[in-house]
Amino acid sequence: MKKMFGALASLSLAACGPQIETVSFSDGLPGQEMAKLDVPSTTSQRIDDGAATVRQQGRGDLSGTWLVTGGTVLVVNGVTLWSLGSLNFVAGLEPASDNGTTAVWGPRTNDWERTTWKLTAVRTAPNAFKYTLEAKPKGSDDSEYAAVITGSHTVAVDEDGKAIKGYGEGRFDIDYDKAARLPFQDSKKGQVSFEYARPSPTAAVTVGVDLKEFVNDAAVPNTAAYRYSQVPGGEGFFEFATDSNIHWFDPTRIALERWTIKSRWNATGEGRADVRATGGDLASPVTMNECWDTRFRSTFLDGSAPSQVKWGVESSDCAFTGASYSTR
């Protein structure tokens, strides 16, 4: 009987799983790499920010849709760098207070921007945290603090319950309307939301980004969605959707069409992009399809527009056969 009770007790403890170690606050905040997008490239490749248009020279030239993909990735990474860079700037020193449940960093002043920052993190589990990054103009009253970034982060653990440093999952939201009130900030407005997951060194990385009424250099607010997945050293995809006027040259047709691009690539860098425009002043969807080789040179081009230039054979010139359009 004693042996039976002992066996049951052991089974009960095993069912509970390993105890998760308590992660420090300094290791419980996401680093800049957590939500960064990585796409294949070569040192000789020049990526322009051509997200507004898809330009194509001819077969064998650098792929126009790949340039758009790469340029858009650069823009998204720029937003990530600013947000998580600000977070880690404040958390770079020891917290002013830490009672095990809540830690507060700052106030810390960024002298070259004349901004004072304060970061508060709350532990919700041994390896999980919620945080708020607040900022105000240097020298202003504490009532001027505004929550610029809010988020949550869970540190990944291994099968023994040990933290895997640099890996995890979470989300954060940036309020550019509040950030714009700070000294020396640019004209960005609106909200941007990130969701990310880097479970382990070998698991696929996923990142989702949503822009809501976002304004950068243009005067018109933009709503867009980005989705990214990449197996380390293997296949990946990046898709994005935005509203833009395909008939910008015609003042009688001002409705916005929905543009989507989904790019896929394999471990060698060979890939394909499928573009589609719908709605607005279009009577029917317009599509374009392009494939590129390991040097990102166009090997196949097709599309539904009557004036679309075409070249290549899909079955032999594409790493992926069959279109796969974004559903965003």
Side-chain angles (χ1 to χ4, degrees), residues 71-128:
T72 306
V73 164
L74 291 178
V75 172
V76 174
N77 279 341
V79 176
T80 306
L81 180 65
W82 180 89
S83 55
L84 295 182
S86 299
L87 193 70
N88 286 276
F89 164 76
V90 183
L93 300 176
E94 290 295 319
S97 63
D98 178 355
N99 63 11
T101 301
T102 302
V104 179
W105 288 263
R108 186 176 181 187
T109 300
N110 185 337
D111 292 326
W112 58 89
E113 288 183 347
R114 295 206 306 240
T115 300
T116 299
W117 302 86
K118 183 173 69 173
L119 173 64
T120 303
V122 178
R123 185 188 302 278
T124 58
N127 63 322

Side-chain angles (χ1 to χ4, degrees), residues 246-247 258-260 275-279 282-288 303-306 308 325:
I246 192 175
H247 308 104
R258 186 67 166 178
W259 279 90
T260 64
V275 184
R276 180 166 58 184
T278 59
L282 291 174
S284 59
V286 175
T287 61
M288 188 181 78
S304 64
Q308 175 69 60
Y325 298 104

